[in-house]
Amino acid sequence: QSLGTTPTGLNVTKTFEVSVDLPDIEVDSSAGSSNLTSATLHPETPNAVAVDADGDHVVVWTAYDSTAGHDRLYMRLFRADGTPGQVMRVNSLGQPLGLIDSPVIPVTGNAQFLGDVQRYGSVAIDPDGDFVVTWTNYRNGQAEIFARRFDARPSVTIDPITQNWNVVGDAAFQVNDYTRGVQKWSDVAMDREGNFVVTWTSYAQELNGNIGTGYGVYARRYDSEGQALAREFQVNVTTAGDQQTPSIAMAANGDDAL
């Protein structure tokens, strides 16, 4: 590790060893199968893992679905010890069938999103384990920011059309109001009550759609039920050049920094 330089210009370094007691944990055992391959994280994905107060965690990533023919966003829940977390399996009527280990779950398993390309997933979680996932959703040539809320122990069922696991509960929703140009590269943070803020990059929005004015950073606040508290707002003051790939952090009381 480099510690920088002394006032005289000499490099200062420190050597140390990192010991890891636990083995690597396979997040997606189906990557490489006939329909789900090439699981990846993109360099613009700032928060692909979120951990609650008990150490339970959620991982999100993009994988190529060869059946659909494009990238889709997936997630999986884990306990603090790295074993799969538990979700409640329900039937088509919503009746519980029992707890199962979390499978690999499409963030949007229903047919509405089956034709959409999904990338750049981020996840935030509150101390109780409730969480929200955001991503860039490509549909009909447009890139928009979408999000979806989940309970700490989601209920899942098999979608009769796609035959994918699908989470029963809150539907995915579009975050950005402004839809001209391109909106992508989102990040999300959540406070202890489950309130959250989503931030992203938008192209040419700063000057009311003048193409060529570059990227700007925007954000929007939500309550713990996923209701928007206001319209989106511009974060950056400087508009010359590009401002892009934002990150956000939030304190337990809801104060945040972008």
Side-chain angles (χ1 to χ4, degrees), residues 114-152:
L114 190 59
D116 298 348
V117 175
Q118 299 170 329
R119 294 175 179 153
Y120 315 121
S122 292
V123 58
I125 199 167
D126 69 17
D128 296 327
D130 301 323
F131 62 99
V132 61
V133 177
T134 71
W135 68 96
T136 303
N137 201 83
Y138 298 85
R139 179 185 296 173
N140 298 326
Q142 290 290 110
E144 316 289 357
I145 303 301
F146 273 74
R148 191 178 184 189
R149 291 178 60 255
F150 299 91
D151 294 332

PDB file of all heavy atoms in Angstrom, residues 114-152:
ATOM      1  N   LEU A 114     -39.804  -8.536 -19.588  1.00  0.00           N
ATOM      2  CA  LEU A 114     -39.064  -9.642 -20.191  1.00  0.00           C
ATOM      3  C   LEU A 114     -38.258  -9.199 -21.408  1.00  0.00           C
ATOM      4  O   LEU A 114     -37.172  -9.717 -21.664  1.00  0.00           O
ATOM      5  CB  LEU A 114     -40.031 -10.760 -20.586  1.00  0.00           C
ATOM      6  CG  LEU A 114     -39.405 -12.085 -21.012  1.00  0.00           C
ATOM      7  CD1 LEU A 114     -38.539 -12.657 -19.892  1.00  0.00           C
ATOM      8  CD2 LEU A 114     -40.476 -13.091 -21.417  1.00  0.00           C
ATOM      9  N   GLY A 115     -38.750  -8.222 -22.159  1.00  0.00           N
ATOM     10  CA  GLY A 115     -38.044  -7.768 -23.350  1.00  0.00           C
ATOM     11  C   GLY A 115     -37.067  -6.644 -23.106  1.00  0.00           C
ATOM     12  O   GLY A 115     -36.437  -6.161 -24.055  1.00  0.00           O
ATOM     13  N   ASP A 116     -36.909  -6.214 -21.847  1.00  0.00           N
ATOM     14  CA  ASP A 116     -36.055  -5.065 -21.538  1.00  0.00           C
ATOM     15  C   ASP A 116     -34.637  -5.495 -21.185  1.00  0.00           C
ATOM     16  O   ASP A 116     -34.433  -6.517 -20.527  1.00  0.00           O
ATOM     17  CB  ASP A 116     -36.621  -4.271 -20.361  1.00  0.00           C
ATOM     18  CG  ASP A 116     -37.991  -3.695 -20.652  1.00  0.00           C
ATOM     19  OD1 ASP A 116     -38.417  -3.716 -21.821  1.00  0.00           O
ATOM     20  OD2 ASP A 116     -38.644  -3.229 -19.693  1.00  0.00           O
ATOM     21  N   VAL A 117     -33.673  -4.685 -21.602  1.00  0.00           N
ATOM     22  CA  VAL A 117     -32.283  -4.851 -21.175  1.00  0.00           C
ATOM     23  C   VAL A 117     -32.114  -4.119 -19.845  1.00  0.00           C
ATOM     24  O   VAL A 117     -32.556  -2.977 -19.694  1.00  0.00           O
ATOM     25  CB  VAL A 117     -31.309  -4.286 -22.224  1.00  0.00           C
ATOM     26  CG1 VAL A 117     -29.871  -4.347 -21.720  1.00  0.00           C
ATOM     27  CG2 VAL A 117     -31.455  -5.052 -23.538  1.00  0.00           C
ATOM     28  N   GLN A 118     -31.464  -4.768 -18.873  1.00  0.00           N
ATOM     29  CA  GLN A 118     -31.290  -4.196 -17.541  1.00  0.00           C
ATOM     30  C   GLN A 118     -29.823  -4.268 -17.140  1.00  0.00           C
ATOM     31  O   GLN A 118     -29.217  -5.332 -17.185  1.00  0.00           O
ATOM     32  CB  GLN A 118     -32.151  -4.948 -16.523  1.00  0.00           C
ATOM     33  CG  GLN A 118     -33.635  -4.883 -16.838  1.00  0.00           C
ATOM     34  CD  GLN A 118     -34.458  -5.821 -15.991  1.00  0.00           C
ATOM     35  OE1 GLN A 118     -33.991  -6.877 -15.587  1.00  0.00           O
ATOM     36  NE2 GLN A 118     -35.684  -5.436 -15.702  1.00  0.00           N
ATOM     37  N   ARG A 119     -29.273  -3.124 -16.719  1.00  0.00           N
ATOM     38  CA  ARG A 119     -27.854  -3.064 -16.341  1.00  0.00           C
ATOM     39  C   ARG A 119     -27.652  -2.088 -15.181  1.00  0.00           C
ATOM     40  O   ARG A 119     -28.553  -1.340 -14.831  1.00  0.00           O
ATOM     41  CB  ARG A 119     -26.988  -2.626 -17.531  1.00  0.00           C
ATOM     42  CG  ARG A 119     -26.954  -3.632 -18.678  1.00  0.00           C
ATOM     43  CD  ARG A 119     -26.188  -3.104 -19.870  1.00  0.00           C
ATOM     44  NE  ARG A 119     -26.154  -4.085 -20.953  1.00  0.00           N
ATOM     45  CZ  ARG A 119     -26.038  -3.787 -22.230  1.00  0.00           C
ATOM     46  NH1 ARG A 119     -25.921  -2.529 -22.599  1.00  0.00           N
ATOM     47  NH2 ARG A 119     -26.021  -4.727 -23.146  1.00  0.00           N
ATOM     48  N   TYR A 120     -26.439  -2.094 -14.640  1.00  0.00           N
ATOM     49  CA  TYR A 120     -25.998  -1.119 -13.630  1.00  0.00           C
ATOM     50  C   TYR A 120     -26.865  -1.153 -12.367  1.00  0.00           C
ATOM     51  O   TYR A 120     -27.341  -0.129 -11.892  1.00  0.00           O
ATOM     52  CB  TYR A 120     -25.957   0.300 -14.212  1.00  0.00           C
ATOM     53  CG  TYR A 120     -25.318   0.410 -15.568  1.00  0.00           C
ATOM     54  CD1 TYR A 120     -26.011   0.908 -16.661  1.00  0.00           C
ATOM     55  CD2 TYR A 120     -24.001  -0.011 -15.759  1.00  0.00           C
ATOM     56  CE1 TYR A 120     -25.422   1.011 -17.913  1.00  0.00           C
ATOM     57  CE2 TYR A 120     -23.395   0.087 -17.010  1.00  0.00           C
ATOM     58  CZ  TYR A 120     -24.106   0.597 -18.082  1.00  0.00           C
ATOM     59  OH  TYR A 120     -23.524   0.688 -19.320  1.00  0.00           O
ATOM     60  N   GLY A 121     -27.061  -2.334 -11.803  1.00  0.00           N
ATOM     61  CA  GLY A 121     -27.880  -2.473 -10.609  1.00  0.00           C
ATOM     62  C   GLY A 121     -27.170  -1.991  -9.349  1.00  0.00           C
ATOM     63  O   GLY A 121     -25.965  -2.180  -9.187  1.00  0.00           O
ATOM     64  N   SER A 122     -27.918  -1.347  -8.455  1.00  0.00           N
ATOM     65  CA  SER A 122     -27.438  -0.961  -7.126  1.00  0.00           C
ATOM     66  C   SER A 122     -28.506  -1.327  -6.110  1.00  0.00           C
ATOM     67  O   SER A 122     -29.695  -1.365  -6.431  1.00  0.00           O
ATOM     68  CB  SER A 122     -27.146   0.539  -7.050  1.00  0.00           C
ATOM     69  OG  SER A 122     -26.038   0.891  -7.850  1.00  0.00           O
ATOM     70  N   VAL A 123     -28.085  -1.557  -4.864  1.00  0.00           N
ATOM     71  CA  VAL A 123     -29.026  -1.972  -3.818  1.00  0.00           C
ATOM     72  C   VAL A 123     -28.687  -1.246  -2.523  1.00  0.00           C
ATOM     73  O   VAL A 123     -27.514  -0.983  -2.235  1.00  0.00           O
ATOM     74  CB  VAL A 123     -29.002  -3.501  -3.622  1.00  0.00           C
ATOM     75  CG1 VAL A 123     -27.619  -4.006  -3.266  1.00  0.00           C
ATOM     76  CG2 VAL A 123     -30.029  -3.941  -2.586  1.00  0.00           C
ATOM     77  N   ALA A 124     -29.719  -0.888  -1.765  1.00  0.00           N
ATOM     78  CA  ALA A 124     -29.565  -0.303  -0.428  1.00  0.00           C
ATOM     79  C   ALA A 124     -30.525  -1.017   0.510  1.00  0.00           C
ATOM     80  O   ALA A 124     -31.600  -1.484   0.091  1.00  0.00           O
ATOM     81  CB  ALA A 124     -29.855   1.194  -0.447  1.00  0.00           C
ATOM     82  N   ILE A 125     -30.160  -1.092   1.789  1.00  0.00           N
ATOM     83  CA  ILE A 125     -30.933  -1.883   2.755  1.00  0.00           C
ATOM     84  C   ILE A 125     -31.034  -1.120   4.069  1.00  0.00           C
ATOM     85  O   ILE A 125     -30.126  -0.350   4.417  1.00  0.00           O
ATOM     86  CB  ILE A 125     -30.246  -3.264   2.951  1.00  0.00           C
ATOM     87  CG1 ILE A 125     -31.189  -4.298   3.546  1.00  0.00           C
ATOM     88  CG2 ILE A 125     -28.987  -3.147   3.778  1.00  0.00           C
ATOM     89  CD1 ILE A 125     -30.644  -5.731   3.446  1.00  0.00           C
ATOM     90  N   ASP A 126     -32.152  -1.312   4.804  1.00  0.00           N
ATOM     91  CA  ASP A 126     -32.270  -0.686   6.119  1.00  0.00           C
ATOM     92  C   ASP A 126     -31.864  -1.686   7.200  1.00  0.00           C
ATOM     93  O   ASP A 126     -31.609  -2.856   6.904  1.00  0.00           O
ATOM     94  CB  ASP A 126     -33.674  -0.122   6.338  1.00  0.00           C
ATOM     95  CG  ASP A 126     -34.758  -1.177   6.471  1.00  0.00           C
ATOM     96  OD1 ASP A 126     -34.451  -2.357   6.723  1.00  0.00           O
ATOM     97  OD2 ASP A 126     -35.947  -0.815   6.330  1.00  0.00           O
ATOM     98  N   PRO A 127     -31.782  -1.272   8.474  1.00  0.00           N
ATOM     99  CA  PRO A 127     -31.301  -2.189   9.513  1.00  0.00           C
ATOM    100  C   PRO A 127     -32.139  -3.453   9.666  1.00  0.00           C
ATOM    101  O   PRO A 127     -31.634  -4.508  10.089  1.00  0.00           O
ATOM    102  CB  PRO A 127     -31.369  -1.329  10.788  1.00  0.00           C
ATOM    103  CG  PRO A 127     -31.209   0.071  10.302  1.00  0.00           C
ATOM    104  CD  PRO A 127     -31.923   0.112   8.993  1.00  0.00           C
ATOM    105  N   ASP A 128     -33.445  -3.389   9.318  1.00  0.00           N
ATOM    106  CA  ASP A 128     -34.324  -4.544   9.454  1.00  0.00           C
ATOM    107  C   ASP A 128     -34.246  -5.504   8.279  1.00  0.00           C
ATOM    108  O   ASP A 128     -34.833  -6.589   8.325  1.00  0.00           O
ATOM    109  CB  ASP A 128     -35.772  -4.084   9.634  1.00  0.00           C
ATOM    110  CG  ASP A 128     -35.969  -3.310  10.924  1.00  0.00           C
ATOM    111  OD1 ASP A 128     -35.287  -3.629  11.907  1.00  0.00           O
ATOM    112  OD2 ASP A 128     -36.799  -2.384  10.922  1.00  0.00           O
ATOM    113  N   GLY A 129     -33.579  -5.092   7.216  1.00  0.00           N
ATOM    114  CA  GLY A 129     -33.428  -5.973   6.062  1.00  0.00           C
ATOM    115  C   GLY A 129     -34.306  -5.647   4.874  1.00  0.00           C
ATOM    116  O   GLY A 129     -34.180  -6.277   3.824  1.00  0.00           O
ATOM    117  N   ASP A 130     -35.242  -4.680   5.000  1.00  0.00           N
ATOM    118  CA  ASP A 130     -35.997  -4.238   3.831  1.00  0.00           C
ATOM    119  C   ASP A 130     -35.033  -3.531   2.875  1.00  0.00           C
ATOM    120  O   ASP A 130     -34.133  -2.809   3.313  1.00  0.00           O
ATOM    121  CB  ASP A 130     -37.112  -3.287   4.245  1.00  0.00           C
ATOM    122  CG  ASP A 130     -38.089  -3.936   5.227  1.00  0.00           C
ATOM    123  OD1 ASP A 130     -38.368  -5.134   5.071  1.00  0.00           O
ATOM    124  OD2 ASP A 130     -38.550  -3.230   6.146  1.00  0.00           O
ATOM    125  N   PHE A 131     -35.222  -3.702   1.578  1.00  0.00           N
ATOM    126  CA  PHE A 131     -34.234  -3.157   0.645  1.00  0.00           C
ATOM    127  C   PHE A 131     -34.887  -2.659  -0.633  1.00  0.00           C
ATOM    128  O   PHE A 131     -36.060  -2.953  -0.922  1.00  0.00           O
ATOM    129  CB  PHE A 131     -33.146  -4.190   0.341  1.00  0.00           C
ATOM    130  CG  PHE A 131     -33.617  -5.459  -0.325  1.00  0.00           C
ATOM    131  CD1 PHE A 131     -33.497  -5.630  -1.699  1.00  0.00           C
ATOM    132  CD2 PHE A 131     -34.150  -6.501   0.421  1.00  0.00           C
ATOM    133  CE1 PHE A 131     -33.909  -6.803  -2.313  1.00  0.00           C
ATOM    134  CE2 PHE A 131     -34.565  -7.689  -0.178  1.00  0.00           C
ATOM    135  CZ  PHE A 131     -34.450  -7.836  -1.547  1.00  0.00           C
ATOM    136  N   VAL A 132     -34.119  -1.881  -1.386  1.00  0.00           N
ATOM    137  CA  VAL A 132     -34.566  -1.353  -2.660  1.00  0.00           C
ATOM    138  C   VAL A 132     -33.451  -1.539  -3.677  1.00  0.00           C
ATOM    139  O   VAL A 132     -32.263  -1.393  -3.352  1.00  0.00           O
ATOM    140  CB  VAL A 132     -34.971   0.133  -2.539  1.00  0.00           C
ATOM    141  CG1 VAL A 132     -33.800   0.994  -2.099  1.00  0.00           C
ATOM    142  CG2 VAL A 132     -35.539   0.668  -3.840  1.00  0.00           C
ATOM    143  N   VAL A 133     -33.819  -1.883  -4.897  1.00  0.00           N
ATOM    144  CA  VAL A 133     -32.870  -2.086  -5.995  1.00  0.00           C
ATOM    145  C   VAL A 133     -33.178  -1.071  -7.088  1.00  0.00           C
ATOM    146  O   VAL A 133     -34.343  -0.829  -7.421  1.00  0.00           O
ATOM    147  CB  VAL A 133     -32.978  -3.518  -6.565  1.00  0.00           C
ATOM    148  CG1 VAL A 133     -32.028  -3.694  -7.756  1.00  0.00           C
ATOM    149  CG2 VAL A 133     -32.675  -4.550  -5.487  1.00  0.00           C
ATOM    150  N   THR A 134     -32.141  -0.453  -7.646  1.00  0.00           N
ATOM    151  CA  THR A 134     -32.305   0.449  -8.782  1.00  0.00           C
ATOM    152  C   THR A 134     -31.446  -0.056  -9.936  1.00  0.00           C
ATOM    153  O   THR A 134     -30.454  -0.751  -9.730  1.00  0.00           O
ATOM    154  CB  THR A 134     -31.907   1.895  -8.443  1.00  0.00           C
ATOM    155  OG1 THR A 134     -30.480   1.982  -8.297  1.00  0.00           O
ATOM    156  CG2 THR A 134     -32.577   2.362  -7.167  1.00  0.00           C
ATOM    157  N   TRP A 135     -31.821   0.338 -11.135  1.00  0.00           N
ATOM    158  CA  TRP A 135     -31.057  -0.089 -12.313  1.00  0.00           C
ATOM    159  C   TRP A 135     -31.400   0.795 -13.504  1.00  0.00           C
ATOM    160  O   TRP A 135     -32.341   1.592 -13.466  1.00  0.00           O
ATOM    161  CB  TRP A 135     -31.356  -1.553 -12.656  1.00  0.00           C
ATOM    162  CG  TRP A 135     -32.755  -1.824 -13.146  1.00  0.00           C
ATOM    163  CD1 TRP A 135     -33.173  -1.903 -14.444  1.00  0.00           C
ATOM    164  CD2 TRP A 135     -33.931  -2.058 -12.347  1.00  0.00           C
ATOM    165  NE1 TRP A 135     -34.523  -2.170 -14.510  1.00  0.00           N
ATOM    166  CE2 TRP A 135     -35.008  -2.276 -13.238  1.00  0.00           C
ATOM    167  CE3 TRP A 135     -34.165  -2.117 -10.971  1.00  0.00           C
ATOM    168  CZ2 TRP A 135     -36.301  -2.531 -12.781  1.00  0.00           C
ATOM    169  CZ3 TRP A 135     -35.453  -2.371 -10.519  1.00  0.00           C
ATOM    170  CH2 TRP A 135     -36.501  -2.578 -11.419  1.00  0.00           C
ATOM    171  N   THR A 136     -30.622   0.649 -14.583  1.00  0.00           N
ATOM    172  CA  THR A 136     -30.924   1.293 -15.858  1.00  0.00           C
ATOM    173  C   THR A 136     -31.706   0.307 -16.707  1.00  0.00           C
ATOM    174  O   THR A 136     -31.270  -0.815 -16.935  1.00  0.00           O
ATOM    175  CB  THR A 136     -29.636   1.700 -16.590  1.00  0.00           C
ATOM    176  OG1 THR A 136     -28.868   2.560 -15.746  1.00  0.00           O
ATOM    177  CG2 THR A 136     -29.968   2.422 -17.892  1.00  0.00           C
ATOM    178  N   ASN A 137     -32.883   0.744 -17.162  1.00  0.00           N
ATOM    179  CA  ASN A 137     -33.789  -0.120 -17.921  1.00  0.00           C
ATOM    180  C   ASN A 137     -33.892   0.395 -19.357  1.00  0.00           C
ATOM    181  O   ASN A 137     -34.271   1.545 -19.588  1.00  0.00           O
ATOM    182  CB  ASN A 137     -35.172  -0.117 -17.270  1.00  0.00           C
ATOM    183  CG  ASN A 137     -36.002  -1.320 -17.662  1.00  0.00           C
ATOM    184  OD1 ASN A 137     -35.864  -2.385 -17.083  1.00  0.00           O
ATOM    185  ND2 ASN A 137     -36.871  -1.154 -18.655  1.00  0.00           N
ATOM    186  N   TYR A 138     -33.530  -0.450 -20.315  1.00  0.00           N
ATOM    187  CA  TYR A 138     -33.557  -0.076 -21.729  1.00  0.00           C
ATOM    188  C   TYR A 138     -34.794  -0.682 -22.379  1.00  0.00           C
ATOM    189  O   TYR A 138     -34.974  -1.910 -22.375  1.00  0.00           O
ATOM    190  CB  TYR A 138     -32.309  -0.577 -22.448  1.00  0.00           C
ATOM    191  CG  TYR A 138     -31.010  -0.004 -21.929  1.00  0.00           C
ATOM    192  CD1 TYR A 138     -30.357  -0.562 -20.836  1.00  0.00           C
ATOM    193  CD2 TYR A 138     -30.425   1.095 -22.550  1.00  0.00           C
ATOM    194  CE1 TYR A 138     -29.162  -0.045 -20.371  1.00  0.00           C
ATOM    195  CE2 TYR A 138     -29.221   1.630 -22.093  1.00  0.00           C
ATOM    196  CZ  TYR A 138     -28.605   1.050 -21.010  1.00  0.00           C
ATOM    197  OH  TYR A 138     -27.410   1.560 -20.539  1.00  0.00           O
ATOM    198  N   ARG A 139     -35.647   0.196 -22.937  1.00  0.00           N
ATOM    199  CA  ARG A 139     -36.874  -0.274 -23.584  1.00  0.00           C
ATOM    200  C   ARG A 139     -37.171   0.630 -24.781  1.00  0.00           C
ATOM    201  O   ARG A 139     -37.218   1.851 -24.646  1.00  0.00           O
ATOM    202  CB  ARG A 139     -38.041  -0.254 -22.602  1.00  0.00           C
ATOM    203  CG  ARG A 139     -39.379  -0.695 -23.186  1.00  0.00           C
ATOM    204  CD  ARG A 139     -40.498  -0.526 -22.170  1.00  0.00           C
ATOM    205  NE  ARG A 139     -40.321  -1.391 -21.014  1.00  0.00           N
ATOM    206  CZ  ARG A 139     -41.081  -1.333 -19.921  1.00  0.00           C
ATOM    207  NH1 ARG A 139     -42.054  -0.431 -19.840  1.00  0.00           N
ATOM    208  NH2 ARG A 139     -40.869  -2.157 -18.908  1.00  0.00           N
ATOM    209  N   ASN A 140     -37.368   0.026 -25.936  1.00  0.00           N
ATOM    210  CA  ASN A 140     -37.714   0.785 -27.154  1.00  0.00           C
ATOM    211  C   ASN A 140     -36.710   1.902 -27.436  1.00  0.00           C
ATOM    212  O   ASN A 140     -37.087   3.013 -27.837  1.00  0.00           O
ATOM    213  CB  ASN A 140     -39.122   1.364 -27.041  1.00  0.00           C
ATOM    214  CG  ASN A 140     -40.185   0.298 -26.900  1.00  0.00           C
ATOM    215  OD1 ASN A 140     -40.069  -0.794 -27.461  1.00  0.00           O
ATOM    216  ND2 ASN A 140     -41.231   0.595 -26.131  1.00  0.00           N
ATOM    217  N   GLY A 141     -35.437   1.617 -27.206  1.00  0.00           N
ATOM    218  CA  GLY A 141     -34.394   2.579 -27.508  1.00  0.00           C
ATOM    219  C   GLY A 141     -34.191   3.643 -26.449  1.00  0.00           C
ATOM    220  O   GLY A 141     -33.331   4.515 -26.618  1.00  0.00           O
ATOM    221  N   GLN A 142     -34.963   3.612 -25.373  1.00  0.00           N
ATOM    222  CA  GLN A 142     -34.850   4.595 -24.306  1.00  0.00           C
ATOM    223  C   GLN A 142     -34.202   3.958 -23.074  1.00  0.00           C
ATOM    224  O   GLN A 142     -34.464   2.795 -22.752  1.00  0.00           O
ATOM    225  CB  GLN A 142     -36.228   5.128 -23.912  1.00  0.00           C
ATOM    226  CG  GLN A 142     -36.872   6.022 -24.957  1.00  0.00           C
ATOM    227  CD  GLN A 142     -36.165   7.356 -25.080  1.00  0.00           C
ATOM    228  OE1 GLN A 142     -35.515   7.620 -26.085  1.00  0.00           O
ATOM    229  NE2 GLN A 142     -36.265   8.188 -24.065  1.00  0.00           N
ATOM    230  N   ALA A 143     -33.373   4.737 -22.397  1.00  0.00           N
ATOM    231  CA  ALA A 143     -32.764   4.300 -21.139  1.00  0.00           C
ATOM    232  C   ALA A 143     -33.362   5.119 -20.004  1.00  0.00           C
ATOM    233  O   ALA A 143     -33.259   6.353 -20.002  1.00  0.00           O
ATOM    234  CB  ALA A 143     -31.251   4.480 -21.182  1.00  0.00           C
ATOM    235  N   GLU A 144     -33.997   4.434 -19.039  1.00  0.00           N
ATOM    236  CA  GLU A 144     -34.637   5.096 -17.912  1.00  0.00           C
ATOM    237  C   GLU A 144     -34.178   4.439 -16.608  1.00  0.00           C
ATOM    238  O   GLU A 144     -33.671   3.313 -16.605  1.00  0.00           O
ATOM    239  CB  GLU A 144     -36.173   4.999 -18.006  1.00  0.00           C
ATOM    240  CG  GLU A 144     -36.754   5.278 -19.375  1.00  0.00           C
ATOM    241  CD  GLU A 144     -36.678   6.727 -19.821  1.00  0.00           C
ATOM    242  OE1 GLU A 144     -36.210   7.563 -19.028  1.00  0.00           O
ATOM    243  OE2 GLU A 144     -37.070   7.017 -20.964  1.00  0.00           O
ATOM    244  N   ILE A 145     -34.388   5.139 -15.498  1.00  0.00           N
ATOM    245  CA  ILE A 145     -34.041   4.613 -14.188  1.00  0.00           C
ATOM    246  C   ILE A 145     -35.279   4.006 -13.538  1.00  0.00           C
ATOM    247  O   ILE A 145     -36.315   4.676 -13.400  1.00  0.00           O
ATOM    248  CB  ILE A 145     -33.464   5.718 -13.276  1.00  0.00           C
ATOM    249  CG1 ILE A 145     -32.246   6.367 -13.939  1.00  0.00           C
ATOM    250  CG2 ILE A 145     -33.097   5.150 -11.909  1.00  0.00           C
ATOM    251  CD1 ILE A 145     -31.116   5.411 -14.259  1.00  0.00           C
ATOM    252  N   PHE A 146     -35.163   2.746 -13.143  1.00  0.00           N
ATOM    253  CA  PHE A 146     -36.259   2.063 -12.451  1.00  0.00           C
ATOM    254  C   PHE A 146     -35.786   1.611 -11.075  1.00  0.00           C
ATOM    255  O   PHE A 146     -34.589   1.499 -10.806  1.00  0.00           O
ATOM    256  CB  PHE A 146     -36.736   0.855 -13.259  1.00  0.00           C
ATOM    257  CG  PHE A 146     -37.779   1.183 -14.292  1.00  0.00           C
ATOM    258  CD1 PHE A 146     -37.431   1.840 -15.458  1.00  0.00           C
ATOM    259  CD2 PHE A 146     -39.114   0.843 -14.086  1.00  0.00           C
ATOM    260  CE1 PHE A 146     -38.387   2.157 -16.408  1.00  0.00           C
ATOM    261  CE2 PHE A 146     -40.076   1.156 -15.024  1.00  0.00           C
ATOM    262  CZ  PHE A 146     -39.713   1.812 -16.194  1.00  0.00           C
ATOM    263  N   ALA A 147     -36.745   1.371 -10.202  1.00  0.00           N
ATOM    264  CA  ALA A 147     -36.456   0.886  -8.852  1.00  0.00           C
ATOM    265  C   ALA A 147     -37.562  -0.061  -8.411  1.00  0.00           C
ATOM    266  O   ALA A 147     -38.686  -0.026  -8.941  1.00  0.00           O
ATOM    267  CB  ALA A 147     -36.325   2.053  -7.869  1.00  0.00           C
ATOM    268  N   ARG A 148     -37.239  -0.887  -7.415  1.00  0.00           N
ATOM    269  CA  ARG A 148     -38.249  -1.777  -6.825  1.00  0.00           C
ATOM    270  C   ARG A 148     -37.909  -2.030  -5.365  1.00  0.00           C
ATOM    271  O   ARG A 148     -36.743  -2.271  -5.029  1.00  0.00           O
ATOM    272  CB  ARG A 148     -38.324  -3.103  -7.583  1.00  0.00           C
ATOM    273  CG  ARG A 148     -39.532  -3.941  -7.172  1.00  0.00           C
ATOM    274  CD  ARG A 148     -39.650  -5.226  -7.951  1.00  0.00           C
ATOM    275  NE  ARG A 148     -40.866  -5.929  -7.566  1.00  0.00           N
ATOM    276  CZ  ARG A 148     -41.176  -7.172  -7.941  1.00  0.00           C
ATOM    277  NH1 ARG A 148     -40.346  -7.845  -8.729  1.00  0.00           N
ATOM    278  NH2 ARG A 148     -42.297  -7.735  -7.528  1.00  0.00           N
ATOM    279  N   ARG A 149     -38.911  -1.956  -4.505  1.00  0.00           N
ATOM    280  CA  ARG A 149     -38.765  -2.218  -3.075  1.00  0.00           C
ATOM    281  C   ARG A 149     -39.064  -3.682  -2.767  1.00  0.00           C
ATOM    282  O   ARG A 149     -39.901  -4.316  -3.420  1.00  0.00           O
ATOM    283  CB  ARG A 149     -39.721  -1.355  -2.257  1.00  0.00           C
ATOM    284  CG  ARG A 149     -39.417   0.116  -2.241  1.00  0.00           C
ATOM    285  CD  ARG A 149     -40.483   0.865  -1.440  1.00  0.00           C
ATOM    286  NE  ARG A 149     -40.545   0.391  -0.048  1.00  0.00           N
ATOM    287  CZ  ARG A 149     -41.503  -0.393   0.452  1.00  0.00           C
ATOM    288  NH1 ARG A 149     -42.466  -0.839  -0.315  1.00  0.00           N
ATOM    289  NH2 ARG A 149     -41.494  -0.736   1.716  1.00  0.00           N
ATOM    290  N   PHE A 150     -38.389  -4.197  -1.721  1.00  0.00           N
ATOM    291  CA  PHE A 150     -38.586  -5.581  -1.311  1.00  0.00           C
ATOM    292  C   PHE A 150     -38.609  -5.665   0.217  1.00  0.00           C
ATOM    293  O   PHE A 150     -37.890  -4.934   0.901  1.00  0.00           O
ATOM    294  CB  PHE A 150     -37.454  -6.473  -1.831  1.00  0.00           C
ATOM    295  CG  PHE A 150     -37.344  -6.510  -3.329  1.00  0.00           C
ATOM    296  CD1 PHE A 150     -36.534  -5.605  -4.007  1.00  0.00           C
ATOM    297  CD2 PHE A 150     -38.045  -7.449  -4.068  1.00  0.00           C
ATOM    298  CE1 PHE A 150     -36.422  -5.629  -5.384  1.00  0.00           C
ATOM    299  CE2 PHE A 150     -37.946  -7.480  -5.449  1.00  0.00           C
ATOM    300  CZ  PHE A 150     -37.125  -6.576  -6.108  1.00  0.00           C
ATOM    301  N   ASP A 151     -39.416  -6.582   0.729  1.00  0.00           N
ATOM    302  CA  ASP A 151     -39.396  -6.874   2.160  1.00  0.00           C
ATOM    303  C   ASP A 151     -38.151  -7.675   2.506  1.00  0.00           C
ATOM    304  O   ASP A 151     -37.529  -8.300   1.637  1.00  0.00           O
ATOM    305  CB  ASP A 151     -40.637  -7.669   2.568  1.00  0.00           C
ATOM    306  CG  ASP A 151     -41.913  -6.859   2.410  1.00  0.00           C
ATOM    307  OD1 ASP A 151     -41.835  -5.620   2.510  1.00  0.00           O
ATOM    308  OD2 ASP A 151     -42.969  -7.471   2.191  1.00  0.00           O
ATOM    309  N   ALA A 152     -37.829  -7.699   3.804  1.00  0.00           N
ATOM    310  CA  ALA A 152     -36.650  -8.429   4.251  1.00  0.00           C
ATOM    311  C   ALA A 152     -36.735  -9.908   3.918  1.00  0.00           C
ATOM    312  O   ALA A 152     -35.715 -10.551   3.643  1.00  0.00           O
ATOM    313  CB  ALA A 152     -36.454  -8.237   5.749  1.00  0.00           C
TER     314      ALA A 152
END
